[in-house]
Amino acid sequence: MSKPNLSFWIISVLSLIWNLMGVNQYIQQAYRTDSFKAMYTEAQLVTISNTPTWAVAAFAIAVFCGALGCALLLLRKKWSQVFLLLSVVGVVVQMYYNLFIIKSASIYGPGAIIMTIMILVVALFLYWYSKFAEKRNWIS
């Protein structure tokens, strides 16, 4: 196994932090914390409360598999690819619900589309990066 360069460590740490922020958001939403409720209007909270179980599960898969995948990437384990791919699948399912079923831009504003695209791009990048790291022999 080759020694990874500095960018590998920077990308891996930043991506773990990114996914842990997603885990935090999921937990706040699941427990309906006061800080979570303060971020949304009453109408938005009703929409969130009516989210179907399959979309909530997709959110959980996206963030928890993403965090685990990034932790495994930091540990230089090839298994990171499996979890990062599962994260991409969770993101795609969740974003399908947000964009096409509830039309989130009409509920949360145009920033919702930007955030959705950014989340998908990051998830795809991380999966690609895990494959790249394997080719460089940085993970096994």
Side-chain angles (χ1 to χ4, degrees), residues 78-90:
K78 186 177 173 182
W79 271 96
S80 64
Q81 295 171 0
V82 172
F83 290 98
L84 291 172
L85 180 59
L86 288 171
S87 178
V88 168
V89 171

Side-chain angles (χ1 to χ4, degrees), residues 1 5 28 32 40 66 72 77 116 125:
M1 194 164 24
N5 61 23
Q28 285 197 44
R32 302 282 195 263
Y40 299 100
L72 289 168
K77 301 296 180 189
T116 297
F125 169 77

Side-chain angles (χ1 to χ4, degrees), residues 31-79:
Y31 288 100
R32 302 282 195 263
T33 64
D34 290 338
S35 61
F36 172 79
K37 290 186 231 176
M39 294 187 292
Y40 299 100
T41 66
E42 200 56 44
Q44 292 168 336
L45 289 170
V46 168
T47 300
I48 293 166
S49 294
N50 292 322
T51 303
T53 304
W54 62 266
V56 174
F59 183 18
I61 289 167
V63 298
F64 285 100
C65 286
L68 184 54
C70 291
L72 289 168
L73 194 60
L74 274 168
L75 294 172
R76 300 176 61 194
K77 301 296 180 189
K78 186 177 173 182
W79 271 96

Side-chain angles (χ1 to χ4, degrees), residues 73-124:
L73 194 60
L74 274 168
L75 294 172
R76 300 176 61 194
K77 301 296 180 189
K78 186 177 173 182
W79 271 96
S80 64
Q81 295 171 0
V82 172
F83 290 98
L84 291 172
L85 180 59
L86 288 171
S87 178
V88 168
V89 171
V91 166
V92 168
V93 171
Q94 179 191 15
M95 296 313 158
Y96 172 80
Y97 173 76
N98 288 340
L99 291 176
F100 300 109
I101 295 179
I102 66 165
K103 300 183 181 8
S104 60
S106 65
I107 298 167
Y108 301 105
I113 292 177
I114 294 166
M115 189 63 170
T116 297
I117 292 168
M118 189 169 74
I119 290 167
L120 183 58
V121 167
V122 170
L124 288 168

